[in-house]
Amino acid sequence: PPACRQLVPGSDLLDALDESADGPVWTSLWTAQDQTVTPPDSARIDGALDVEVQSVCPDAQIAHGQLPRDPLVIGLVQRALAVAPLTTAPASGQCAAVRAEGATR
């Protein structure tokens, strides 16, 4: 599929994203319940901030197809794109706050 070819290291799409001297700041959000990307932790990216959604909200029941619309994931994406982006995964004590941020979108 085109999306898979676009995400291969060295693809034209990924190379075009590297516009700064240090390259982009990457964040990988993934779910332990993924049955599309297997094994689920293969969604980790070397050098990126890798966030398993269950590390933020242990009760999160999120499958691959639910990632784009889940309030927790939306909240994490908003934080990753913020002026002061994520540098570490939010602690599980922030679960409710991150979900609430994502629910407002």
Side-chain angles (χ1 to χ4, degrees):
C4 293
R5 289 191 305 271
Q6 291 172 335
L7 296 176
V8 171
S11 71
D12 290 343
L13 174 72
L14 294 181
D15 286 346
L17 294 175
D18 191 359
E19 296 178 2
S20 68
D22 297 327
V25 176
W26 295 99
T27 302
S28 173
L29 305 175
W30 58 281
T31 176
Q33 285 124 12
D34 202 322
Q35 294 183 345
T36 302
V37 174
T38 57
D41 67 353
S42 66
R44 293 177 181 270
I45 301 172
D46 288 340
L49 171 61
D50 292 297
V51 181
E52 176 188 351
V53 295
Q54 286 79 17
S55 73
V56 180
C57 293
D59 66 336
Q61 297 294 313
I62 303 170
H64 183 86
Q66 296 168 311
L67 287 166
R69 63 183 180 276
D70 185 272
L72 170 60
V73 177
I74 293 168
L76 290 167
V77 168
Q78 288 176 206
R79 287 185 176 202
L81 296 174
V83 173
L86 290 173
T87 56
T88 61
S92 59
Q94 295 181 320
C95 175
V98 176
R99 272 191 177 139
E101 289 171 28
T104 62
R105 294 285 174 181

